[in-house]
Amino acid sequence: NNIIGGGSSPRLITLANNYSSSSTTMENVTGWDFPEKKKKIYRIEVIGDYQSSQATTTGCKFGIALTGGAAGTVRGSARGSISAAAVATELAIPIRTTAGAGSFLQTSGVSALNTPHFVWMVIIFTCTTSGTFNLQFGSEVAASETRLNLGSSLIYQILN
């Protein structure tokens, strides 16, 4: 077992504005990125909500991406609700890679329109090459708007 100490205090970035997308290509959420350093281990958590005003068949895509030469390994999971009814329903997926399948959650619609549905992600990221860590968001359905709501929060902390 490894015991890690000497990290940083948690850092909180709250989304100041809604982040909307009508594209199935995920893009970096404005302000939801941070520089990461080689040999550092990060705990990253997102607590947020999203909604669609277009159709109950429109969900979201939510994941991670590395830029600026960044590389590393990741372990964790992401969850997203698809129903705000009395019997709530959610989807969950392991986050196990930093690109492509396994690096994002895709929900399958919302119930009901214009109603917040939660997204939640907790991961441990081990940086092997410095660069930038980004959170990304997109629509499940092309040309159908979905948005990550203002007030959603990104919390990250260096563990070592």
Side-chain angles (χ1 to χ4, degrees):
N1 292 337
N2 291 330
I3 298 174
I4 296 173
S8 70
S9 296
R11 296 176 183 147
L12 170 66
I13 303 172
T14 302
L15 201 59
N17 297 296
N18 292 329
Y19 182 86
S20 295
S21 178
S22 296
S23 173
T24 57
T25 301
M26 292 186 300
E27 295 182 359
N28 295 343
V29 176
T30 306
W32 271 20
D33 57 16
F34 59 90
E36 34 87 358
K37 296 182 175 120
K38 183 178 180 177
K39 298 185 180 180
K40 293 295 181 184
I41 300 171
Y42 297 82
R43 181 186 187 279
I44 301 160
E45 182 171 11
V46 174
I47 303 168
D49 54 66
Y50 76 99
Q51 65 192 64
S52 176
S53 61
Q54 300 290 307
T56 57
T57 55
T58 302
C60 75
K61 294 170 84 173
F62 179 68
I64 63 173
L66 304 177
T67 57
T73 59
V74 64
R75 293 290 178 270
S77 64
R79 298 168 126 25
S81 63
I82 56 175
S83 176
V87 179
T89 305
E90 71 177 18
L91 298 173
I93 190 167
I95 302 297
R96 62 188 186 283
T97 185
T98 58
S103 70
F104 67 93
L105 166 75
Q106 180 171 310
T107 65
S108 57
V110 296
S111 174
L113 291 177
N114 293 314
T115 303
H117 293 69
F118 82 88
V119 288
W120 179 67
M121 178 188 293
V122 175
I123 59 174
I124 300 294
F125 174 70
T126 303
C127 181
T128 56
T129 305
S130 298
T132 302
F133 189 96
N134 304 277
L135 275 293
Q136 294 192 319
F137 187 80
S139 179
E140 177 208 9
V141 178
S144 188
E145 181 269 341
T146 188
R147 74 172 182 253
L148 187 60
N149 290 330
L150 68 99
S152 296
S153 297
L154 163 64
I155 305 161
Y156 71 95
Q157 180 177 15
I158 300 170
L159 298 178
N160 63 338

